[in-house]
Amino acid sequence: MSARLLGKVALVTGAASGIGAATARLFAAHGAHVFGLDRNPSPERADNPAHLIADVTDAESIGVAVARILGQHGRIDVLVNNAGADVFSEPLSLSDADWERCLSLNLKGAWNMARAVLPSMLEQGAGSIVNIASVHGHKIIPGAFPYPVAKHGLIGLTRSLGIEYAARGIRVNSISPGLILVPRIEAWFASQPDPEAARRVQTELLPPKRIGTPEEVAHTALFLASDEARFINATDILIDGGRSQLYHE
Ligand code: NAI
């Protein structure tokens, strides 16, 4: 395996599970010094020194985590803003607290992280930020409000920051996954009255007739984080097997 991130220092949020865990593993396999940041402990080792416990909605705990990495390595080359969660409701049934929870995690969390990391990236004149958005940032599924509001905003944050700092060596891009088979999706299938039927329905909706894997998203993040993508900035890559291009389902 070629070391496409050799010597780079990478910070991946939401690294305790799913897409974030797969991304942290793949980046490490490609030679990066990877720090995971999550509000939950590392799934592999409770005492993993490269797994920082912090909440992306809490600027103070982020500041401590970022200072620790900078103290150790003096730089952060790659930030993957992956921490996020579904908040789905019928719009008028949504409480203010759930609106706040959705936007503060899925949108403001990425800004909190970028704001903490950008000064050191600007100082070194280089850096790549990859935001994990969603197909919900492109298309609307009724009843999933306000998650798509946050994910559209995250794509807006990507474009906006990408333009603001392009001339100073920073690239900001996003990835929009469709359905990806992570443990919480497996748990959702298992909770259905007929788990296999639920899995079949979701699988059939996807043009390749299979569900995406966390590793497939991680490989796209690896490309965007690496110097191979050095002229790619302020854009979004959909990784949904083509489903969002279908007019009829
Ligand atoms: P997951 O639930 O497996 O992992 C999310 C991780 O984020 C967890 O480890 C969780 O502890 C962490 N996290 C949540 N809130 C946090 C906070 N406030 N501070 C720090 N860490 C926090 O979910 P998954 O599926 O891997 O999702 C990762 C990203 O991908 C999310 O942004 C999600 O919106 C996005 N996504 C996922 C899709 C899927 O089908 N799995 C599809 C489209 C987008």
Side-chain angles (χ1 to χ4, degrees):
M1 185 181 281
S2 63
R4 292 160 69 191
L5 295 180
L6 190 62
K8 292 200 193 283
V9 180
L11 173 55
V12 179
T13 73
S17 172
I19 294 169
T23 302
R25 271 196 309 272
L26 186 67
F27 281 18
H30 278 272
H33 302 286
V34 183
F35 289 84
L37 182 153
D38 204 291
R39 61 181 179 186
N40 287 331
S42 161
E44 283 127 28
R45 273 177 56 195
D47 62 343
N48 180 356
H51 185 88
L52 310 169
I53 302 287
D55 186 322
V56 298
T57 66
D58 172 14
E60 203 180 315
S61 72
I62 292 169
V64 172
V66 167
R68 193 159 138 198
I69 302 170
L70 291 175
Q72 219 171 312
H73 292 276
R75 58 189 297 126
I76 296 175
D77 300 290
V78 179
L79 166 65
V80 180
N81 278 314
N82 164 77
D86 295 347
V87 180
F88 290 172
S89 171
E90 187 283 321
L92 292 179
S93 309
L94 183 79
S95 66
D96 269 1
D98 280 348
W99 168 273
E100 290 296 338
R101 184 168 65 85
C102 182
L103 275 287
S104 73
L105 170 58
N106 293 304
L107 177 56
K108 178 94 184 306
W111 169 231
N112 289 339
M113 292 299 307
R115 189 154 57 176
V117 164
L118 273 166
S120 61
M121 286 184 168
L122 289 168
E123 206 175 302
Q124 70 210 21
S128 172
I129 299 179
V130 179
N131 295 321
I132 306 300
S134 170
V135 286
H136 290 263
H138 295 261
K139 303 282 172 177
I140 302 301
I141 301 175
F145 189 83
Y147 182 74
V149 179
K151 292 295 190 179
H152 275 73
L154 187 54
I155 293 173
L157 181 76
T158 301
R159 292 186 181 136
S160 177
L161 290 179
I163 297 306
E164 290 285 349
Y165 298 116
R168 298 176 66 186
I170 314 295
R171 296 184 298 108
V172 187
N173 294 292
S174 58
I175 298 173
S176 286
L179 185 64
I180 302 296
L181 206 51
V182 297
R184 69 186 170 82
I185 301 292
E186 285 290 8
W188 180 79
F189 285 143
S191 74
Q192 296 305 295
D194 183 345
E196 278 318 305
R199 187 187 298 269
R200 250 192 328 274
V201 167
Q202 291 302 320
T203 304
E204 278 305 309
L205 287 170
L206 293 156
K209 305 300 174 200
R210 69 172 181 81
I211 300 173
T213 68
E215 288 71 25
E216 287 166 333
V217 181
H219 274 282
T220 308
L222 172 67
F223 170 61
L224 287 174
S226 77
D227 294 338
E228 295 158 21
R230 59 189 166 271
F231 204 55
I232 300 182
N233 181 40
T235 197
D236 180 84
I237 298 181
L238 269 158
I239 168 161
D240 69 343
R243 181 180 171 192
S244 58
Q245 304 309 315
L246 280 172
Y247 188 66
H248 293 287
E249 288 183 341

